[in-house]
Amino acid sequence: MLLLGGVMIAGMMTAPRIAAAKAEANLERVNALIARMTIEEKAGQLNLQNDPFRWRPEGVNPGDALNTDQAQTAADIKAGRIGALFNGVGAATTRLVQDMAVKESRLGIPLLFAADIIHGLKTTFPVPLGETASWDLDLAERTARAAAVEGGAAGVHQTYAPMVDVARDQRWGRVVEGAGEDVLLNRLFAIARTKGFQGDDLKDWSSLLACPKHFAAYGAAEAGMDYNSTDMSELELRSVYLPPFKAAFDAGALSTMSAFNDLNGVPASGNKWLLTDILRGEWGFAGFVVSDYTSEQELIAHGFAADGRDAARIALMAGVDMSMKSGLYMEHIPDLVASGDVPIERVDEAVRRVLMTKAALGLFENPYRGADVRTERRVHGSREHLALAREAGRKSIVMLKNDGDLLPLPKTGKTYALIGPFGADSADLFGPWSIFKDTKLAVSLEQGLRSALGAGASLTVTKGSDVEAPIAGGIEAAVAAAQAADVVLLAVGESTEMSAESKSRVDIGIPAAQLALAEAVAATGKPVVVILRNGRGMELAGAVKDAPALLVTWFLGSETGNAVADVLFGDHAPTGRLPVSFPHRSGQSPFYYAHKATGRPSKPTDREFTSKFREVPHTALYPFGHGLTYAPVSYSPVRLSADAMAWNGELTASVTLTNGGTREASEVVQLYIRDRTASITQPVRLLRHFKRVTVPAGGSVEVALPLKFEDLLFLGQDLKPTVEPGLFDVWLSPDAQAGEPVQFTLNR
Ligand code: NOJ
């Protein structure tokens, strides 16, 4: 076995100098290794394949007969033809698989193990979109850390997360995987999650290499249809879609994934401008680029490459360092180099990036890192992680509506009917990308409610409908249950199947069968609390829209039922805020709050010849940033410390919040700006800062937020950051639609 990264004894050297010296030592050793590698071994380091050994929990054990796939992969690893495996986990088998590379391949280069650990491994945290509704960066960092601890113990080194694609079209199925529609939230959550996954030191066994994805503009797929083309100005790309990536890289992310989509006619996975000129040239990114699953092979289907050889050449030359799944790099790199179609220097560069990352992860010193069965047993689904999942769950819930203060509900003295396809369900609460979940760690709504209500609970549970189809007698049973109860808890929405990769929808509403159930139940006249399960901003209609109380609960993961019960019965007052708009109707898609004004801006009361659809106002039913709690909080008019800002100066915006209720309120004050006159038209509102504050029952607090010169930056016609003097609007408001702005001028 080959050992890299020997220790530099450095006397009085400072930490950055020690790190630089280590990197230098790594580089020397990596270069020495590259000098010994054959072209096949080099191609092998760039070849990433499915892990056929550890995709099942039990994995392969020493002495087990290997199936054909496993035997082929084992042979390839030993021949140095595979450098990394993905989507296998499990400490027990890590050593067995890693030994194939370390002990049985000529150069003993350790494998890199990657996995889609998107929102937890065994313990499942809320889906990223749901967690973003917490507007709590510390929470996001802590759940990513816990996921990394579980992943590290199971022998994983890299996670294909966070997804940092800004997602403004709720039809797109993958909205669920990211931080929603806003650039600032996407940037901040990209940083928090990257830090959480990578920890303080990549070498630590509990650190997972982060892989912000999908580079780039994947979230802008036309019509929200997955894998579709994207076409946008460079200005839009740089203003909206690239900043979250830059933020993640600045936070230390050392890998990224090239996207499936084509961007302005050039597929992202063959796009040199994106993958080399911007990523390396402008940003100085030092990690490696992995293609998305066969995305370099898909250059052929895009009509951008003639065949596999051509696709491999284009992707490699564009800047894709590692090929996921297709095998095209392994197959074609030797010949591409021999024929002079790809210079060996480019191959060496890609190999160097991969090996330097392996060295940064400490794999050369310890190829098995944290993989340890006892640690796995200790940390997988640990009490701490489940407590964190419950905390994250309840902080992710957004209360859209609470007419007549129906919520919170009393634990005693009332009878409840839990109705809907998600009431007793324990399979659909994890959400997409929970491939390694422990299904035993699943608290259904029913279980959560029963455990909150205690032994004397009066709770009936009736399915009423399947997710997308009626069930015989379902409505009748549900109506009878509703009639027999004081309050209906209606658990409706989307299944995992409706919200994930390749699960784009033309209609972002609740399926007709469930709407019919909702109508019938509401017709009993019983108060209805909607518990919505969803992976996107949705269209709410009929009895769901009209229910007096509405909770958005996304896919909350392992602790779903407990988290929902915490909020329903008031042990935790709702604190979540929407990270995506809920438009009135699907047909408004893409609807996002930070849209442009147009030359014919519309007001909700306008009728003709303004920029809107005939049927609904050009607004959201529930806007970005919206979320209620168990006390009404009112905002005073906004005050500014001055009505003009000096060039390079700063102002303070403040507001008085008053809690008119009897419970303490947690409020997220949001600072939005609008540049009234600029050489590039600016959004009607743009989030620049936010702050969570506590407002005591019956009391008031003053909240001051800084407004800085940098907050007024935008990209000008030359694509350079610019600030222009003139008039600006400022809001301090509870969401992206509320409040009245104050104005100030920026003087040069
Ligand atoms: C395809 C998805 O687009 C990507 O996000 C994921 O990481 C890979 N498959 C690997 O599973």
Side-chain angles (χ1 to χ4, degrees), residues 160-248:
Y160 294 141
M163 189 187 94
V164 302
D165 296 312
V166 173
R168 295 183 151 182
D169 193 325
Q170 303 306 308
R171 292 172 294 183
W172 191 47
R174 304 197 77 170
V175 171
V176 65
E177 292 176 48
E181 72 180 54
D182 179 63
V183 181
L184 178 65
L185 280 192
N186 267 284
R187 278 175 40 217
L188 296 176
F189 276 88
I191 295 168
R193 289 173 174 147
T194 297
K195 282 190 184 160
F197 285 131
Q198 295 202 163
D200 295 331
D201 180 1
L202 260 189
K203 274 200 164 67
D204 193 279
W205 68 265
S206 71
S207 291
L208 292 182
L209 175 69
C211 184
K213 65 187 187 185
H214 308 79
F215 197 65
Y218 182 47
E222 267 179 22
M225 188 179 75
D226 210 2
Y227 318 121
N228 207 2
S229 303
T230 59
D231 203 293
M232 69 177 71
S233 66
E234 187 174 345
L235 190 81
E236 177 81 350
L237 179 73
R238 288 182 182 273
S239 305
V240 175
Y241 292 91
L242 294 188
F245 284 95
K246 178 71 165 56

Side-chain angles (χ1 to χ4, degrees), residues 410-429:
K411 285 187 186 165
T412 54
K414 292 249 187 244
T415 57
Y416 297 111
L418 176 61
I419 294 174
F422 301 107
D425 150 75
S426 60
D428 237 324
L429 43 76

Side-chain angles (χ1 to χ4, degrees), residues 297-371:
Q297 186 168 36
E298 293 169 23
L299 298 179
I300 306 168
H302 275 289
F304 194 73
D307 51 28
R309 185 180 189 278
D310 202 27
R313 178 186 62 79
I314 293 172
L316 187 59
M317 292 312 292
V320 173
D321 300 305
M322 183 186 277
S323 146
M324 189 193 293
K325 178 66 189 171
S326 74
L328 288 185
Y329 275 23
M330 189 62 244
E331 196 180 335
H332 296 294
I333 282 178
D335 175 59
L336 283 166
V337 170
S339 64
D341 288 335
V342 165
I344 186 67
E345 290 75 19
R346 169 65 192 116
V347 175
D348 287 351
E349 177 183 61
V351 173
R352 191 174 301 112
R353 288 172 182 160
V354 169
L355 294 183
M356 285 297 283
T357 311
K358 288 185 177 182
L361 285 160
L363 285 174
F364 289 102
E365 287 116 327
N366 181 4
Y368 316 104
R369 293 223 319 170

Side-chain angles (χ1 to χ4, degrees), residues 51 125 142 165 167 194 202 215 244 252 283 298 347 358 385 416 433 437 461 531 572 576 670 710 732:
D51 187 332
F125 300 105
R142 285 187 290 132
D165 296 312
T194 297
L202 260 189
F215 197 65
W283 297 353
E298 293 169 23
V347 175
K358 288 185 177 182
H385 289 179
Y416 297 111
W433 287 123
K437 64 183 166 276
V461 183
I531 302 169
H572 175 88
Q670 299 157 39
E710 303 86 86
L732 285 178

